[in-house]
Amino acid sequence: MKVLKFGGSSVASSKSIAKVINIVKNNSHKEEIVVVVSAFGGITDLLLDAGRMACNKDKLYLSSLKQIEERHLKVVEELIPLATQSTVLEKVKKMLSNLESILEGVFLINELSSKTSDKIVSYGELLSSYIIFEAMKENQLNVALKNTQELIVTDDNYANASVKFELTNTNISSYFSNNTHKVVILPGFVSKTETGEVSTLGRGGSDYTASIIAAAINASLLEIWTDVSGMYTANPKFVPEAFPIKSISYQEAMELSHFGAKVLYPPTIQPVLEKEIPIAIKNTFDADKEGTLITKTTLNTNPIKGITHIENISLITLEGSGMVGIPGFSKRLFEALSQKEINITLITQASSEHSICIAINDADAAIAKKAIDTAFEYEISLRKVAPLTVEKNNAIIALVGDNMKSHQGISGKMFSTLGKNNVNIRAIAQGASEKNISAVIAHKDIKKALNTLHTTFFKNQTKQLNLFVVGVGNVGGKLLDQIKQQQHYLLENLKLEVRVVAITNSRKMYFDEDGIDLHNWKEQLENGVSLDMNLFHKKVTTLNYRNSIFVDNTATEAVSKLYASYLKESVSVVTCNKIACSSAYSNYLKLKELSVEYHAPFLFETNVGAGLPIIDTLKNLVASGDRVTKIKAVLSGSLNFIFNNFNESATFYEVVTQAGIEGYTEPDPRIDLSGVDVMRKILILARESGAKMELEDIENVSFLPESSLNATTVPEFMETLKQEQAHFNSLRESAEKNNCKLKYVATFDKGIAKVGLEEVAVNHPFYNLDGKDNIVLFYTERYHEQPLIIKGAGAGADVTASGLFADIIRIGNN
């Protein structure tokens, strides 16, 4: 014999009930079936609401009653043929009339006891079981309806009654030993006291009912049918990558259900555990799915079976020097809570006995504080104990698995994973059996914590990167194109799911919490809201996504000043904007320190050499113990392009104009031609090699005439390039006369840095540097005779974007 329990979501409508009937029919061909059903989905809440409103003299209880009536009558009309419909409707209406009488009584006397509340909510299961019974008869099933109130006997602790198992088991065994039907329908949740008063087994009690029946009849299997395909590795509403657990032990299932896994009501397991009756969690709406099998032991080799959580938790702390070495404090604390019927979810105590922390539901926090402060009023008056502290808006997350104790480092991995993602842990609890490791965290961090832990402990899943991209012009637009092109490749080969969550231009910003469709990002951005970088920052931190990356494709100082605020929120920063790293040394150092402190990478490879691995190579040299003695470089792709194309057939003005059109110079070409851009780059390299240097420490030997240096606007500057053509021609002619080429060179040697135009001889490594290429020579203690040379394209939107993309992937692979 097998017991099948169908929850509220499985019997929420006539369509879903039809699926239930089909499942029962298929199973009844093989063996006798017991079917336990919940109230129709949402009905229990409506019944509770109606009771509360009636008690409060609110006539809107009649509206709730009307909804209850309409729901049940509609199901009858849709499932029961007209020939027999009137009989069923008559009985349903009679039951609803009795319910209305009880509610009217509550309204008149303005009182609602737990005993009366149990009578009210019991109608949900009584109605659903009767209607489903009649529908099964119409489907030619050999079915009987038995009221569980005649089988399960409880004490008189209404709303959460305890079962009298000796009487209950006798009743169940007696009934089923005489049963001749293939299928028996039972209402879940409901029961009666020894004196015959209606009682209930608490919310989730239908699962418990099914388990009690299964244990009493020694069922071969207990199946819990719901709207998901088993117990998941995490709540799929929070963790999209979560997947069903095929096999799990009774103890693991109890831990998961206690810590928020709503698929199974925690007390359900106990009755069947003693008889070692397996429990299967199945999906009513996808009946062929395997689901989860709960047994005594499992063959699953992963020590972690699931990651779960409880929301709306308050952490209360009792502390004081007067507690140390004095027995009885814990007893008095727990008694104070017990007297107020407050459930404790987590307990942790310092070994010094100076403090005890307890996690309880937020709704109980005020009552708990009053009760405990009263219990310790004397000690508080003597200042031996501090008044109870209450911290609301927390949550508990828990790793669950039978075999965690046999695997070293699980708790360390858990806490380091949370720490790297800026999830602060307020309290920890871990039993000696190590079936559960629990931590109290801020409520706002639930989603991030669950996802990061899931990625860590279920490695076959992908790692999600969430990008917030500021600036989608030349470089930013190319970056989005590259991400769109490579999204599938990264997912398939590197297990990286790269999502662009937000984009901005100089006018607007657009967010999509599920990831922006990069095929039409321009249209979406046009439909965005006005750009507000403070609001942008608030939105990023409110979303609180794991592996968040702020990508700056601008060249503006205002955006660079935001980096610290993002790093402090454990949001990584990837940037091609050189301003931050070439700002005051103290700011540069602060950003590096924040990156380490908050485990948020700060990557700026494209600050020097666009997509060339210049900074990364330098970091590796320094990290390996090498010491840089000298750097000589051509670091401006735009200036290299300009001087490579400046000849007799093209004026200096024309070449600079062309460089701007092709995107090699900044929108303001003065940044490139003044040497400021190259100064920033050599400064960054000097700092990365270990030098403490400011921008003003760099000597800038400008090749521009005074009129160009004094120009206050871009048009005025460009006009001076025309007027000073003779000056620029003289520079070119001098180089040609000496059989040299003009190169804008940056040098860092013995702590001194300078930039300027140089005539490079034919045998120099810089002589044949083509187009917009960059070149860097690193002279170090290891590379003292022949320098380490890095050479390649150092300007252009495509290569800069590819450098940014490489930094993003580097974070993903970290």
Side-chain angles (χ1 to χ4, degrees):
M1 194 180 295
K2 187 161 65 172
V3 178
L4 281 64
K5 179 265 174 177
F6 293 91
S9 60
S10 298
V11 293
S13 66
S14 56
K15 187 176 179 180
S16 57
I17 292 171
K19 291 182 182 293
V20 168
I21 294 171
N22 190 50
I23 291 167
V24 172
K25 185 182 287 188
N26 291 337
N27 277 274
S28 66
H29 293 320
K30 305 167 189 174
E31 58 187 314
E32 292 181 3
I33 300 296
V34 179
V35 178
V36 177
V37 296
S38 295
F40 293 170
I43 291 297
T44 301
D45 286 334
L46 283 171
L47 288 164
L48 288 168
D49 288 343
R52 281 192 290 265
M53 286 188 286
C55 180
N56 293 328
K57 289 287 189 180
D58 186 346
K59 287 189 176 182
L60 283 176
Y61 83 88
L62 292 169
S63 176
S64 293
L65 185 62
K66 184 67 174 174
Q67 290 182 58
I68 293 166
E69 180 182 15
E70 288 173 352
R71 284 277 305 279
H72 289 89
L73 296 183
K74 181 182 179 185
V75 171
V76 172
E77 290 165 359
E78 291 174 346
L79 286 179
I80 309 298
L82 283 172
T84 54
Q85 196 178 96
S86 59
T87 303
V88 178
L89 286 172
E90 183 181 350
K91 185 164 182 179
V92 169
K93 287 178 179 177
K94 184 177 179 180
M95 294 170 72
L96 289 167
S97 178
N98 292 338
L99 171 62
E100 183 176 10
S101 296
I102 296 170
L103 288 168
E104 185 178 359
V106 171
F107 181 83
L108 290 172
I109 65 174
N110 194 29
E111 184 180 331
L112 179 64
S113 66
S114 296
K115 182 178 178 180
T116 304
S117 181
D118 270 5
K119 286 181 181 178
I120 292 169
V121 294
S122 69
Y123 277 88
E125 273 71 15
L126 296 174
L127 283 162
S128 69
S129 59
Y130 171 68
I131 293 170
I132 293 169
F133 162 69
E134 291 290 346
M136 285 189 178
K137 282 201 305 184
E138 295 296 338
N139 281 269
Q140 309 304 313
L141 279 164
N142 180 10
V143 61
L145 174 64
K146 181 65 175 175
N147 189 343
T148 319
Q149 292 170 327
E150 297 171 8
L151 301 177
I152 297 179
V153 183
T154 71
D155 62 15
D156 58 1
N157 183 23
Y158 298 105
N160 194 18
S162 295
V163 176
K164 304 275 188 178
F165 276 99
E166 188 173 344
L167 283 170
T168 296
N169 290 339
T170 299
N171 291 342
I172 295 169
S173 297
S174 175
Y175 172 76
F176 281 98
S177 64
N178 297 309
N179 172 57
T180 59
H181 294 83
K182 289 285 287 184
V183 179
V184 176
I185 302 288
L186 298 168
F189 177 60
V190 296
S191 51
K192 280 189 178 179
T193 67
E194 289 183 82
T195 58
E197 297 292 341
V198 174
S199 59
T200 64
L201 303 179
R203 293 302 293 265
S206 291
D207 284 359
Y208 194 26
T209 302
S211 180
I212 293 167
I213 300 292
I217 64 174
N218 288 308
S220 60
L221 178 67
L222 168 60
E223 291 182 349
I224 306 292
W225 290 81
T226 180
D227 56 0
V228 292
S229 300
M231 298 188 85
Y232 276 65
T233 49
N235 188 332
K237 293 179 181 178
F238 288 87
V239 184
E241 293 83 11
F243 55 91
I245 308 165
K246 289 184 179 181
S247 175
I248 193 171
S249 73
Y250 293 121
Q251 287 76 17
E252 290 168 332
M254 279 194 288
E255 290 286 352
L256 285 173
S257 59
H258 174 71
F259 277 89
K262 296 184 177 9
V263 175
L264 196 64
Y265 181 54
T268 301
I269 297 166
Q270 195 59 46
V272 294
L273 185 152
E274 295 176 4
K275 299 285 187 75
E276 295 188 10
I277 298 169
I279 304 173
I281 311 295
K282 302 279 285 179
N283 190 341
T284 306
F285 307 98
D286 199 351
D288 294 331
K289 281 286 178 68
E290 187 175 0
T292 298
L293 185 65
I294 305 170
T295 55
K296 185 177 180 180
T297 57
T298 71
L299 299 175
N300 194 332
T301 56
N302 191 338
I304 307 299
K305 295 301 191 300
I307 306 164
T308 187
H309 74 287
I310 305 174
E311 298 184 45
N312 304 315
I313 291 293
S314 285
L315 190 65
I316 62 176
T317 304
L318 182 70
E319 61 183 338
S321 58
M323 295 170 58
V324 179
I326 306 298
F329 269 89
S330 299
K331 176 178 179 291
R332 291 167 61 194
L333 172 63
F334 299 142
E335 279 183 346
L337 295 173
S338 177
Q339 288 168 5
K340 297 297 181 180
E341 298 183 350
I342 295 173
N343 186 45
I344 299 170
T345 307
L346 177 146
I347 304 168
T348 181
Q349 181 172 6
S351 58
S352 64
E353 300 183 17
H354 181 263
S355 67
I356 303 174
C357 290
I358 296 172
I360 61 173
N361 192 283
D362 276 342
D364 296 326
I367 299 171
K369 177 171 174 57
K370 185 176 180 180
I372 295 169
D373 281 348
T374 301
F376 293 95
E377 186 175 7
Y378 177 69
E379 287 84 357
I380 292 171
S381 68
L382 297 177
R383 298 187 178 180
K384 289 184 177 182
V385 173
L388 192 75
T389 60
V390 179
E391 299 174 54
K392 284 192 170 187
N393 300 317
N394 291 303
I396 298 174
I397 54 168
L399 293 187
V400 173
D402 275 346
N403 298 319
M404 291 195 296
K405 61 184 177 183
S406 305
H407 292 73
Q408 295 179 346
I410 288 177
S411 57
K413 187 185 290 187
M414 175 185 180
F415 302 139
S416 66
T417 297
L418 295 175
K420 287 177 182 177
N421 283 273
N422 199 29
V423 177
N424 188 38
I425 298 172
R426 293 290 298 110
I428 298 166
Q430 180 176 356
S433 65
E434 288 195 32
K435 285 184 172 64
N436 179 309
I437 305 172
S438 303
V440 179
I441 63 171
H443 191 275
K444 68 181 180 65
D445 290 329
I446 291 173
K447 191 171 184 179
K448 181 193 284 188
L450 290 173
N451 279 278
T452 52
L453 289 174
H454 197 274
T455 299
T456 297
F457 289 103
F458 298 97
K459 292 185 177 178
N460 58 324
Q461 303 305 301
T462 59
K463 183 176 183 180
Q464 188 181 89
L465 303 181
N466 294 288
L467 310 188
F468 301 86
V469 181
V470 175
V472 290
N474 208 8
V475 173
K478 294 292 184 183
L479 174 62
L480 295 183
D481 290 342
Q482 291 175 15
I483 292 172
K484 180 185 72 175
Q485 176 187 319
Q486 291 299 105
Q487 273 178 323
H488 181 72
Y489 173 87
L490 293 173
L491 189 61
E492 290 295 314
N493 294 276
L494 299 182
K495 300 299 180 186
L496 293 178
E497 181 191 1
V498 181
R499 303 194 317 162
V500 178
V501 180
I503 52 177
T504 79
N505 57 22
S506 59
R507 299 176 294 105
K508 290 189 173 183
M509 61 184 186
Y510 177 75
F511 279 80
D512 187 331
E513 295 180 15
D514 297 320
I516 294 169
D517 182 355
L518 296 182
H519 291 86
N520 61 344
W521 62 265
K522 291 181 181 177
E523 292 84 351
Q524 292 177 76
L525 181 56
E526 282 305 309
N527 293 322
V529 298
S530 297
L531 178 64
D532 181 333
M533 288 308 297
N534 290 326
L535 184 60
F536 188 91
H537 176 266
K538 184 178 180 181
K539 181 74 171 176
V540 174
T541 54
T542 301
L543 287 174
N544 199 25
Y545 284 149
R546 69 197 192 280
N547 306 318
S548 292
I549 306 174
F550 178 77
V551 184
D552 178 14
N553 301 311
T554 74
T556 65
E557 185 176 5
V559 176
S560 73
K561 287 182 176 179
L562 298 172
Y563 296 171
S565 63
Y566 283 102
L567 293 172
K568 287 176 181 177
E569 297 289 343
S570 289
V571 176
S572 301
V573 174
V574 169
T575 180
C576 59
N577 186 341
K578 293 175 280 291
I579 294 175
C581 288
S582 58
S583 62
Y585 181 79
S586 58
N587 184 57
Y588 160 83
L589 192 61
K590 177 186 175 185
L591 294 175
K592 303 275 279 190
E593 290 171 346
L594 289 173
S595 173
V596 173
E597 181 179 355
Y598 291 96
H599 307 284
F602 173 43
L603 301 182
F604 44 90
E605 183 65 71
T606 49
N607 277 197
V608 181
L612 294 176
I614 294 172
I615 293 176
D616 194 50
T617 300
L618 177 55
K619 285 180 178 178
N620 290 334
L621 287 171
V622 174
S624 68
D626 203 356
R627 190 176 71 85
V628 176
T629 57
K630 181 180 178 181
I631 302 172
K632 203 160 181 70
V634 172
L635 295 173
S636 174
S638 54
L639 286 173
N640 198 47
F641 174 88
I642 289 168
F643 285 109
N644 277 336
N645 288 278
F646 178 35
N647 52 46
E648 291 181 353
S649 60
T651 66
F652 192 74
Y653 167 80
E654 291 170 342
V655 175
V656 171
T657 302
Q658 186 61 32
I661 292 170
E662 297 191 24
Y664 297 143
T665 64
E666 299 288 348
D668 183 348
R670 291 176 295 177
I671 297 173
D672 297 281
L673 272 67
S674 67
V676 171
D677 187 59
V678 177
M679 289 171 69
R680 287 174 175 157
K681 291 176 179 178
I682 194 64
L683 175 64
I684 293 167
L685 292 182
R687 286 175 170 177
E688 288 295 302
S689 66
K692 296 180 180 179
M693 181 176 287
E694 302 290 355
L695 189 64
E696 52 267 27
D697 296 332
I698 300 172
E699 182 184 359
N700 182 0
V701 183
S702 179
F703 66 89
L704 292 173
E706 285 295 321
S707 61
S708 299
L709 292 172
N710 294 331
T712 56
T713 65
V714 173
E716 184 182 341
F717 173 77
M718 294 301 293
E719 186 62 31
T720 66
L721 301 187
K722 291 181 182 178
Q723 297 171 356
E724 299 285 354
Q725 182 59 36
H727 168 78
F728 297 116
N729 284 341
S730 67
L731 296 175
R732 175 178 56 78
E733 290 164 359
S734 172
E736 290 172 351
K737 180 180 177 181
N738 296 322
N739 198 27
C740 293
K741 287 185 178 179
L742 291 172
K743 301 293 177 185
Y744 198 85
V745 178
T747 305
F748 174 67
D749 187 11
K750 297 176 183 177
I752 297 173
K754 71 173 184 176
V755 299
L757 195 63
E758 294 185 10
E759 294 182 0
V760 174
V762 68
N763 59 348
H764 196 281
F766 295 171
Y767 185 83
N768 291 315
L769 193 64
D770 295 327
K772 59 184 182 299
D773 285 1
N774 280 191
I775 187 170
V776 178
L777 311 182
F778 285 123
Y779 295 86
T780 73
E781 290 179 345
R782 294 172 189 162
Y783 294 90
H784 57 277
E785 292 182 0
Q786 293 293 329
L788 175 63
I789 300 176
I790 301 172
K791 179 182 176 183
D798 275 324
V799 292
T800 303
S802 68
L804 289 163
F805 201 2
D807 275 348
I808 291 167
I809 294 169
R810 188 176 288 115
I811 292 173
N813 288 331
N814 185 9

